[in-house]
């Protein structure tokens, strides 16, 4: 097909049908209007009003929220400072005074050096990243405003000044040719500033990581001196096989305590079903016993679970008694779990295992030596924390993991492409409400009569809709990544961050910015061909770079309003409006279980992937539009200045790190910042190409910058990454020789810590509110006591099995007498005990809220005085 035929086909699709109605000579049809409105991507009258409204609303709302927060904080510590209440002395943040403004002075005076032990390495890296963005954009703001604004305003061409608004004069849309050198200068200045801040903070984070290696928790933890081996061949899947593989890498290494993983088969799914059934039983009881004095006339009913092995024995399509069903389901699952746990040692080994050493330096030296080797197909790496491992993915082969990653990437790519169309509609109509008026005459009249009002609405509506849509994206991406084969939770989070950033940049920046000028360009080419011109001549003459540059200048004010409104998100975070709203509706309009009420009071985990993505996205947008609209620098500098302090408070007193990675997010963040800078250089190059001289000297003056940024990235990787990842890369002097005594004890210790948690995880017990305690025996009709000794003294679950041991409850005033347990197998929770404080050291609650270490629970730390620990071994 020739080029002329292709353009003619496009013309046929876009042309209007003059025979459809008699009024077609007077009014354009809908298709023509949609195409024509693309040629006017922004309304100058609305742009200024939108920017004013965004600035006023964001700053006033943030200030109002800060005042309300300051007044409420001293009396709501459980909401605004739960870590002060629950953390142990070593991990507790600095104390806060009762005065409303006391938190400001504390945040201001708290130094970075004192925070590693308190908040962990991941939180430290995040705070340093936010502070780097604050300082960087303040510097860029000073440089950009002082260079670009005077040049753009003073060199603004007067040829097209009639009707031009002041916002357009700040852009290089109509500057003189010689003034484009300011773009060249600012490009080099920006790259030097960005590279300087990135290099400085890379060094600082390296210093933090070296100090992290020396902390008490890292030095005494088992994972710090342990290697993980995976993709092991069948012949080497044994404790001795692990030792032989390591001996090929480090023949002179000290003796390692090794353990190969065992096949737990369906045990994890059984425990998951058990936990689900317990929660369902708790929910049924909470609703049924909400008012113990007036029970509902009918008992609750439910349909049997399809995963229940007895599903075929129940009446098909009929509901059954929910309380009796869940009770029986829990009983059957616990019996099955106990049987599987007792038979696990008889099953085959898995293609992964662990090897632990006495010295941290020894383990890191072997990991460093093995980093580029795959002996007999086996990969050797530093072991992550046990609670970081995604155990279901550990048995997967390398080919299976690659295939899953490919499918995950494919689904995300499909989602990214499918979002192009709705994103384009947002770019056409919400960015510029006058485009709706172009299609709707009544709205056009209202727009003309009230330009200020609609300008304010436009300034709020378009960024708000975009923000709302992208709130759900991290949830979708995380669910897709759950099946991608990642071996660690923190690795999965880093992949979610990378894919979120790519999605945002492609759809919400590139497509959002390019869609409009692309269609204008296509329409212009078609019209030229319609008038008798050649297709190739029309493509060349219409000059797509000019269309793109003009559109970027016109839409740049939208990004100013968008970035100004980011303060609203920071204020909502500080006020914790979403958690408070959720808790209110849960308690007011639902029947929460004791477990749900306890979890409401726990410190929530910090969502690193989402927050990093948002900040990187804002930074990339600002860098790309800094040369076109310098006001974006002011908006972003204001945002990072305010949010750097607000996030510091929230991380210190509100949020916890669910799974510590040791600062591994930094490399992902650094690489995305390099990419954002290169993308910004391309924007500057576009400006120089369109507005520069015919020889394009200015354009070629900027061309080296992307290559220099890539060279800077590789330099930092070679200079810092190895020292940041490994405690030591050479054999430590005075290394302790291994002894043979106690080897079996140490291997058991390693298996306990790094074995699949399904082998040791305590099964949860149904929780019931104390006000309904007296009704339980009548509800269950005595079935709970079947198959076990009521006075056995352990915290029993419904079937009589338990992984926890505790003393019996004593009768008040009668020492030695066991209290009456009218309903054994249930945990009765009183009203004043529905607080995380009473359960923070239990694995079922702590594992999702910091792992327990910050509350004083040992976690995976190996204590020197504990029998069986590495500290007492003869290694």
């Amino acid at each position: 097909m020739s080029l002329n035929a292709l353009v003619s086909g496009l013309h046929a699709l876009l042309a209007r049908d003059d025979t459809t109605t008699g009024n077609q000579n007077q009014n354009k049809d809908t298709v023509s209007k949609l195409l024509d409105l693309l040629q006017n991507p922004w309304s100058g009258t609305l742009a200024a009003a939108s920017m004013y409204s965004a600035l006023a609303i964001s700053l006033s709302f943030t200030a109002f929220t800060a005042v309300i927060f300051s007044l409420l904080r001293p009396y709501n510590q459980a909401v605004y400072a739960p870590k002060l209440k629950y953390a142990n002395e070593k991990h507790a943040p600095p104390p806060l005074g009762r005065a409303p403004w006391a938190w400001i002075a504390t945040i201001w005076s708290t130094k970075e050096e004192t925070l590693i032990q308190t908040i962990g390495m991941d939180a430290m890296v995040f705070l340093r990243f936010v502070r780097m963005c604050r300082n960087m954009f303040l510097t860029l703001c000073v440089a950009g405003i002082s260079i670009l604004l005077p040049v753009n305003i003073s060199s603004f061409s007067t040829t097209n000044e009639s009707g031009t608004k002041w916002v357009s004069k700040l852009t290089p849309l109509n500057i003189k040719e010689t003034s484009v050198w300011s773009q060249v200068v600012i490009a080099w200045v920006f790259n030097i500033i960005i590279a300087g801040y990135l290099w400085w903070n890379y060094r600082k984070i390296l210093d933090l990581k070296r100090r992290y290696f020396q902390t008490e928790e890292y030095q005494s933890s088992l994972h710090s001196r342990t290697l993980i081996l995976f993709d092991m061949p069948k012949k080497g899947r044994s404790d001795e096989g692990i030792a032989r593989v390591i001996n090929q890498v480090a023949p002179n290494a000290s003796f390692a305590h090794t353990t190969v993983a065992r096949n737990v088969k369906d045990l994890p799914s059984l425990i998951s079903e058990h936990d689900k059934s317990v929660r369902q039983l708790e929910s049924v009881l909470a609703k049924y016993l909400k008012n113990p004095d007036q029970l509902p006339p009918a008992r609750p009913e439910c349909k049997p679970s399809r995963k229940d092995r007895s599903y075929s024995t129940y009446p098909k399509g009929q509901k059954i008694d929910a309380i009796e069903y869940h009770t029986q389901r829990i009983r059957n699952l616990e019996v099955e779990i106990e049987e599987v746990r007792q038979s696990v040692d008889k099953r085959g080994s898995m293609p992964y295992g662990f090897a632990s050493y006495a010295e941290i330096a020894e383990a890191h030296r072997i990991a460093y030596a093995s980093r580029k080797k795959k002996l007999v197909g086996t990969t050797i790496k530093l072991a992550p924390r046990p609670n970081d491992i995604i155990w279901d993915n550990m048995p997967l082969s390398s080919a299976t993991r690659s295939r899953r990653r490919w499918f995950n990437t494919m689904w995300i790519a499909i989602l990214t492409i499918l979002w192009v169309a709705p994103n384009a509609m947002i770019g056409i109509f919400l960015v510029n409400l006058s485009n709706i008026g172009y299609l709707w005459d009544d709205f056009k009249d209202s727009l003309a009569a009230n330009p200020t009002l609609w300008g304010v609405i436009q300034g709020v509506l378009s960024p708000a809709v975009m923000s709302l849509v992208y709130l759900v994206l991290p949830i979708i991406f995380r669910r897709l990544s759950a099946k991608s084969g990642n071996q660690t939770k923190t690795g999965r989070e880093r992949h979610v961050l990378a894919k979120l950033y790519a999605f945002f940049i492609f759809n919400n920046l590139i497509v959002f910015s390019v869609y409009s000028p692309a269609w204008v360009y296509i329409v212009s080419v078609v019209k030229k061909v319609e008038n008798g011109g050649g297709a190739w001549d029309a493509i060349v003459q219409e000059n797509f770079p000019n269309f793109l540059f003009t559109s970027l200048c016109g839409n740049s004010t939208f990004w100013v309003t968008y970035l100004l409104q980011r303060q609203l998100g920071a204020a909502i975070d500080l006020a914790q409006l979403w958690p408070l709203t959720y808790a209110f509706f849960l308690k007011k309009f639902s029947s929460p279980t004791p477990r749900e009420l306890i979890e409401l009071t726990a410190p929530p985990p910090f969502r690193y992937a989402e927050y990093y993505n948002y900040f990187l996205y804002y930074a990339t947008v600002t860098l790309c539009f800094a040369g076109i609209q310098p006001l974006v620098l002011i908006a972003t500098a204001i945002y990072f200045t305010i949010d750097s302090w607000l996030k510091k408070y929230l991380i210190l007193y509100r949020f916890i790190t669910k799974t510590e990675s040791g600062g591994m997010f930094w490399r992902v963040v650094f690489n995305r910042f390099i990419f954002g800078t290169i993308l910004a250089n391309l924007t500057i190059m576009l400006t120089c190409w369109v507005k520069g001289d015919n020889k394009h000297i200015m354009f070629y003056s900027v061309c080296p910058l992307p290559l220099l940024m890539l060279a800077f990235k590789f330099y930092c990787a070679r200079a810092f990454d190895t020292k940041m990842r490994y405690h030591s890369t050479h054999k430590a002097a005075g290394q302790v020789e291994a002894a043979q005594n106690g080897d079996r004890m140490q291997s058991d210790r390693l298996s306990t810590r790094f074995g699949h948690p399904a082998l040791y995880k305590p099964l949860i017990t149904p929780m019931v509110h104390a006000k309904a305690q007296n009704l339980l025996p009548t509800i269950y009709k005595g079935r709970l006591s079947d198959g076990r000794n009521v006075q056995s003294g352990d915290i029993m679950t419904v079937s009589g099995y338990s992984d926890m041991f505790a003393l019996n409850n004593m009768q008040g005033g009668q020492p030695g007498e066991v209290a009456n347990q009218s309903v054994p197998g249930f945990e009765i929770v009183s009203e004043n005990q529905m607080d995380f404080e009473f359960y923070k050291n239990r694995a079922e609650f702590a594992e999702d809220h910091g792992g327990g270490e910050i509350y004083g629970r040992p976690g995976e730390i190996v204590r020197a005085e504990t029998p069986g620990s590495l500290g007492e071994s003869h290694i």
Side-chain angles (χ1 to χ4, degrees):
M1 180 183 291
S2 65
L3 188 60
N4 283 329
L6 177 61
V7 175
S8 299
L10 285 173
H11 168 63
L13 289 174
L14 299 175
R16 60 192 179 189
D17 184 2
D18 291 332
T19 63
T20 55
T21 64
N23 298 326
Q24 205 62 345
N25 292 329
Q26 298 178 358
N27 301 310
K28 295 180 179 180
D29 60 16
T30 303
V31 174
S32 297
K33 287 185 177 182
L34 282 173
L35 295 172
D36 290 343
L37 63 82
L38 290 171
Q39 302 180 35
N40 180 27
W42 190 261
S43 171
T45 303
L46 297 182
S50 300
M51 198 160 52
Y52 294 146
S53 65
L55 179 63
I57 292 173
S58 62
L59 292 183
S60 60
F61 183 79
T62 302
F64 173 77
T65 304
V67 172
I68 298 299
F69 163 79
S70 299
L71 296 176
L72 295 178
R73 179 199 58 80
Y75 309 101
N76 294 273
Q77 181 173 296
V79 176
Y80 295 115
K83 289 170 70 175
L84 267 180
K85 181 179 180 181
Y86 303 132
N88 64 354
E89 183 178 356
K90 185 167 61 175
H91 297 91
L96 291 173
R98 300 285 293 180
W101 315 111
W103 65 278
I104 298 177
T106 303
I107 294 299
W108 182 273
S109 61
T110 303
K111 303 301 181 183
E112 182 181 82
E113 294 75 15
T114 64
L115 296 180
I116 293 184
Q117 193 77 26
T118 303
I119 62 177
M121 187 64 189
D122 282 339
M124 283 295 304
V125 170
F126 180 81
L127 290 181
R128 175 155 281 278
F129 168 74
V130 178
R131 189 168 61 180
M132 178 193 75
C133 291
R134 179 196 67 191
N135 297 338
M136 178 190 295
F137 282 102
L138 285 173
T139 307
L140 293 176
C141 182
V142 173
I145 296 299
S146 60
I147 295 175
L148 292 180
L149 278 189
V151 172
N152 290 350
I153 294 175
S154 62
S155 63
F156 187 83
S157 175
T158 58
T159 304
N160 299 319
E161 190 172 2
S162 176
T164 302
K165 300 301 177 182
W166 68 270
V167 178
S168 300
K169 296 181 180 180
L170 305 181
T171 68
L173 182 62
N174 291 304
I175 61 173
K176 300 174 183 177
E177 182 180 295
T178 55
S179 300
V180 181
W181 281 109
S182 64
Q183 296 285 327
V184 177
V185 172
I186 206 64
W188 282 89
V189 170
F190 278 7
N191 278 257
I192 293 172
I193 293 173
I194 293 169
Y197 273 102
L198 289 174
W199 174 79
W200 176 264
N201 283 276
Y202 220 133
R203 291 174 62 249
K204 288 295 183 181
I205 289 177
L206 175 60
D207 292 341
L208 287 174
K209 188 60 180 285
R210 303 307 297 183
R211 287 163 51 196
Y212 171 75
F213 284 147
Q214 303 304 321
T215 58
E216 179 185 351
E217 287 190 5
Y218 189 82
Q219 288 289 319
S220 57
S221 63
L222 184 60
H223 83 277
S224 64
R225 65 196 72 213
T226 301
L227 301 175
I228 183 172
L229 299 86
F230 51 91
D231 298 336
M232 295 166 55
K234 288 186 177 180
K235 293 183 179 180
R237 297 177 186 178
S238 64
D239 294 355
E240 295 77 13
I242 293 175
R244 287 195 297 269
V245 171
I246 294 178
N247 189 58
Q248 296 182 48
V249 179
N252 299 321
S254 60
F255 186 83
H257 297 292
T258 60
T259 181
V260 69
R262 297 294 174 183
N263 188 357
V264 297
K265 291 191 175 179
D266 54 353
L267 186 55
S269 61
L270 290 175
I271 294 177
S272 176
E273 282 298 307
H274 174 272
D275 292 351
K276 181 179 178 181
S277 297
V278 169
R279 289 180 177 270
Q280 289 175 336
L281 176 59
E282 291 175 342
S283 179
V284 169
L285 292 175
K287 295 176 182 177
Y288 186 63
L289 303 175
K290 185 176 183 180
N291 186 1
D293 297 329
Q294 188 176 359
L295 295 179
R299 287 169 63 91
E301 295 182 334
C302 70
K303 289 185 177 181
S305 172
R306 292 184 178 273
K307 295 182 179 181
D308 191 344
R309 295 185 178 182
S310 304
Y311 177 76
S312 60
T313 64
Y314 293 100
K316 187 175 182 180
Q318 296 182 15
K319 291 185 177 182
I320 57 178
D321 188 284
I323 298 176
E324 292 186 3
Y325 171 73
H326 290 305
T327 303
Q328 184 65 37
R329 173 82 167 137
I330 293 170
R331 178 185 293 111
N332 294 339
L333 285 169
E334 290 185 348
V335 171
E336 194 172 356
I337 288 170
E338 186 67 17
E339 291 175 350
V340 174
R341 280 178 169 173
Q342 291 176 357
S343 62
V344 135
D345 290 339
K346 302 175 184 178
R347 297 182 176 181
S349 57
M350 300 299 287
Y352 65 96
F354 305 91
S356 186
Y357 293 84
E359 298 292 329
I360 294 176
E362 178 82 356
H364 283 240
R365 179 179 67 83
I366 297 173
Y368 176 76
S370 309
R371 70 193 186 283
K372 295 182 180 179
K373 300 177 182 178
K374 295 193 71 172
L375 299 173
V376 293
T378 302
T379 301
I380 304 175
K381 292 184 177 181
L382 293 172
R385 293 170 179 263
N387 66 335
D388 188 22
I389 298 175
I390 303 177
W391 296 93
D392 290 345
N393 291 340
M394 290 304 300
L396 301 179
S397 65
S398 177
T400 303
R401 292 196 303 271
S402 298
R403 184 170 61 252
R404 287 193 175 191
R405 283 194 296 268
W406 188 88
F407 277 108
N408 181 63
T409 303
M410 180 190 70
W411 283 115
I412 290 179
I414 292 174
L415 178 62
T416 302
I417 294 172
L418 290 178
W419 180 246
V420 169
N423 192 46
M425 294 300 101
I426 294 175
I428 293 173
F429 296 110
L430 291 187
V431 170
N432 184 7
L433 293 179
S434 64
N435 291 339
I436 301 178
Y438 192 69
L439 300 176
W440 184 8
D441 292 336
D442 292 339
F443 184 79
K444 183 178 181 180
D445 296 338
S446 177
L447 199 66
N450 304 283
T452 302
L453 173 63
W454 287 111
V456 171
I457 294 175
Q458 178 175 283
V460 175
L461 182 62
S462 52
V465 170
M466 290 178 64
S467 300
L468 182 63
V469 169
Y470 289 113
L471 280 176
V472 301
L473 280 177
I475 301 174
I476 299 174
F477 276 49
R478 189 168 283 107
R479 291 185 178 180
L480 288 174
S481 297
K483 301 295 184 180
S484 63
N486 290 115
Q487 295 176 315
T488 62
K489 299 172 186 176
T490 53
R492 180 185 62 194
E493 286 299 291
R494 293 194 294 273
H495 289 158
V496 169
L497 165 59
K499 289 177 172 59
L500 273 176
Y501 178 77
F503 184 96
F504 270 56
I505 295 303
F506 177 77
N507 254 317
N508 209 26
L509 179 59
I510 296 177
V511 172
F512 190 83
S513 301
V514 173
Y515 181 86
S516 175
W519 273 105
V520 173
Y521 175 72
I522 291 173
V523 172
S524 299
V525 169
V526 170
K527 287 184 177 180
K528 273 194 174 295
V529 174
E530 180 184 0
N531 293 330
W536 178 252
D537 293 336
I539 291 175
V540 174
Q541 293 173 7
E542 283 304 312
N543 192 0
F544 176 71
N546 187 62
F547 279 102
L548 179 59
F549 174 73
T550 303
S551 176
L552 292 178
C553 291
N555 287 333
S556 62
T557 311
F558 164 78
W559 293 110
V560 179
T561 63
Y562 180 82
L563 292 168
L564 284 172
Q565 286 195 333
R566 298 312 91 205
Q567 301 298 337
L568 299 177
I572 290 173
D573 261 355
L574 178 67
Q576 291 295 292
L577 293 183
W578 300 130
L580 289 175
T581 303
Y582 172 76
F584 171 78
F585 279 97
L586 181 66
K587 295 177 181 179
K588 189 73 174 178
F589 302 104
S590 182
S591 301
T593 67
R595 190 180 305 275
E596 290 172 339
L597 293 174
I598 292 169
E599 290 172 342
L600 279 179
T601 64
F606 190 74
R607 303 186 306 275
Y608 284 100
E610 287 95 315
Y611 282 108
Y612 270 127
N613 173 65
Y614 295 146
F615 290 167
L616 285 170
Y617 174 62
Y618 304 153
T620 303
V621 168
T622 303
L623 293 176
C624 289
F625 281 88
I628 292 177
Q629 178 55 269
L631 294 182
V632 297
L633 291 169
I634 300 177
T636 305
I638 292 174
Y639 171 74
F640 279 118
T641 299
I642 296 176
D643 208 24
S644 63
W645 298 108
L646 301 186
K647 287 297 184 289
K648 186 176 182 180
Y649 173 87
L650 291 173
I651 286 180
L652 268 176
Y653 295 98
R654 171 69 177 168
F655 292 113
I656 50 93
T657 299
K658 182 178 180 179
T659 309
E660 179 69 50
S661 72
M664 296 301 292
F665 279 98
W666 170 251
R667 285 187 59 189
V668 182
V669 172
F670 176 86
N671 291 337
R672 270 70 196 165
F673 228 109
I674 294 292
F675 174 81
T677 306
I678 293 175
L679 196 61
N681 290 331
L682 297 180
T683 307
I684 297 288
M685 291 166 66
L686 173 67
T687 303
C688 294
W689 182 272
V690 173
K691 303 301 295 184
D693 57 7
N694 293 330
K695 296 181 179 180
H696 300 300
I697 297 176
M698 304 164 190
F699 171 82
Y700 294 119
S701 299
V702 184
C703 285
L705 288 177
L707 299 178
L708 291 176
M709 290 304 297
L710 285 176
F712 171 70
K713 166 196 158 34
F714 292 121
Y715 159 75
C716 288
R718 291 178 61 88
F720 303 118
D721 283 355
T722 299
K723 296 178 181 178
M724 188 175 293
R725 185 169 184 83
Y726 299 102
H727 179 277
S728 177
T729 57
H730 59 279
K731 189 171 183 178
Q735 188 173 12
V736 183
E737 295 295 331
Q740 300 300 321
N741 297 330
D743 290 345
R744 181 61 183 170
M745 180 184 296
Q746 295 303 320
S747 183
D748 288 344
R749 172 67 173 179
L750 180 62
S751 178
T752 300
R753 289 306 184 186
F754 279 92
H756 199 296
L759 298 173
Y760 316 104
K761 182 181 179 181
L763 300 180
I764 65 176
T765 304
M767 289 182 164
V768 179
H769 199 290
K771 67 182 180 181
Q773 179 178 4
N774 296 332
L775 292 177
L776 287 178
T778 58
I779 291 175
Y780 285 97
K781 303 177 183 179
R783 294 186 61 184
L784 284 175
S785 61
D786 292 346
R788 55 143 185 220
N789 182 4
V790 176
Q791 303 293 343
S792 61
D794 55 359
I795 303 176
M796 295 173 293
T797 47
V798 178
S799 69
Y801 293 102
S802 176
D803 296 321
M804 301 177 64
F805 183 84
L807 297 176
N808 288 303
N809 294 324
M810 298 294 105
Q811 287 189 11
Q814 300 183 31
E817 294 294 330
V818 180
N820 291 327
Q821 299 182 15
S822 57
V823 187
F826 282 89
E827 185 169 359
I828 307 301
V829 184
S830 61
E831 187 71 34
N832 59 359
Q833 286 188 325
M834 291 187 190
D835 192 291
F836 186 68
E837 173 68 24
F838 300 97
Y839 304 92
K840 62 185 181 182
N841 289 321
R842 282 170 47 169
E844 62 191 275
F845 291 99
E847 64 183 5
D848 289 331
H849 302 282
E853 287 87 349
I854 69 171
Y855 314 119
R857 183 170 173 265
E860 63 102 18
I861 294 176
V862 181
R863 300 181 183 275
E865 66 274 11
T866 303
S869 70
L870 287 176
E872 285 193 348
S873 72
H874 301 285
I875 295 178

